[in-house]
């Protein structure tokens, strides 16, 4: 994954770990992050806090 800003590109390495059971248990509007199901709002807050 790369992000292109005004000063060029930065490379990021991303690892995802989940099982098909993890994903099959997701309800509409949920995402899988930090080893658990969460709402899109919870994920956005988590991402904002991490960046």
């Amino acid at each position: 994954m790369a992000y292109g800003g005004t000063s060029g590109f930065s490379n990021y390495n991303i690892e995802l770990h989940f099982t098909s059971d993890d994903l099959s248990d997701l309800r509409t509007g949920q995402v899988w992050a930090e080893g658990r199901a969460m709402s899109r709002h919870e994920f956005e807050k988590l991402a904002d806090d991490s960046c």
Side-chain angles (χ1 to χ4, degrees):
M1 178 177 178
Y3 170 76
T6 57
S7 62
F9 286 90
S10 297
N11 291 322
Y12 298 91
N13 292 322
I14 299 171
E15 290 186 29
L16 302 172
H17 301 272
F18 55 86
T19 66
S20 58
D21 287 338
D22 295 334
L23 298 182
S24 69
D25 291 338
L26 292 177
R27 289 180 266 151
T28 302
Q30 287 186 314
V31 298
W32 187 262
E34 295 292 315
R36 64 185 177 93
M38 62 179 68
S39 71
R40 199 171 268 161
H41 174 75
E42 289 174 296
F43 175 75
E44 289 171 358
K45 182 168 176 15
L46 177 69
D48 284 344
D49 291 345
S50 296
C51 294

